[in-house]
Amino acid sequence: YRDLHTFELQAPTRLIEWARGNRVCVAGYGQCDGNEILQLIPPPTLLTKETQGLCPERDFKVECGGFSERPVYSLKYVPDTSLLVTSGPPDSSLQVWQVSAEDSDVIKSVSTIATENGTGQSWAKIATISARAPWVLHGSRLDRVQITEVESRKNIYTAASRGSEELSSLAFLDCNVLLLCCATGRLCLADTRQPQGLVEAVPAPSAPCSEHWCMGTRHAAQGSEPSSQPVARLSSRGLLALTDLRKTSEFLALAKARVPSPGSGAEFLCISWAPALEGYLAISGFDGTVHVYDTQSWDSSGREAEPIFVHKGHVFGGAGGSRDPPLVTVHTWHLQKPRTLLSAANDGSLHVWDWVQPCGKC
């Protein structure tokens, strides 16, 4: 490691979200009332673009917080606002939160976005954007996807689909184009300018029906087409598929991650592209580790890929007191520092780490 910071949360968290001012938002997912939503100030070394030397302050600080009466399974910051949107059981409704001004340390609930036929549906996956107005893309199933204006709660768009597959991930590619990933691994594109239906981008690689998939997208570089950025998918068996949406007839690359056999569920599967490091991605959700891969040498053979770095800090340096080994519930990349990641585990540990680049690499 070049650097490693740890912070112990009061409860397990399954999400980490960057907010304005380089703040970090986390939330608990326990089934009981009183799940915390916190906005943390990172250690000073993470607030500067250049790597600093020794720093006397190495901890996160709680800047403000609130409590949710329901488990928080997804949390997204709404860009260019002071709003957060969350979702979680027992239905597919969304909760909107206001991060208070500097003179207050409270994150307060301000509204609820109800969904049609939301009762009985699983919790909604969400994505946010502020290209035209503060929008939230949300849905639990392929036939329940819509865009809602966050502040007015006005429905902006509803996708048409005959399928009712469970969704695992969704994303804005830009203010018009949406990408949806089903739990089966199927990708679907939707365009808000053409509301007549969804377009299947590419099916998942041949895999058992019980396999669960999630996806990771990368923000397009300024001036480039959103579809020019490859989409990465990860399965509960550790299969990795890279797809170029401009050429969906074949896979850009296929690989197999070196991960343990999946447990009873795949709810914590996570895959993400490095925003400031070309061709690098990270995966987690199988055990107490986070694997980082360089995909630039991958081909379509599907052979096992060798990670360039494995973060094992949660296994050896967690909160302790738990009989079971910790499980990493989520990870995310720092927005400016190329090799810096944040990860959280179900023992309440939150880590920020930066690995040393192997010799021979750029």
Side-chain angles (χ1 to χ4, degrees), residues 103-115:
D103 58 349
S104 174
D105 60 358
V106 177
I107 297 177
K108 61 181 180 180
S109 175
V110 292
S111 65
T112 297
I113 298 175
T115 54

Side-chain angles (χ1 to χ4, degrees), residues 32 40 49 53 59 84 90 99 105 142 157 176 185 200 203 233 240 248 285 292 319 362:
C32 59
L40 307 175
K49 291 186 177 181
D59 288 334
L84 302 172
V99 179
D105 60 358
L142 200 55
Y157 167 84
N176 295 311
E200 182 175 339
R233 279 173 289 173
L240 290 153
T248 59
V292 178
C362 60

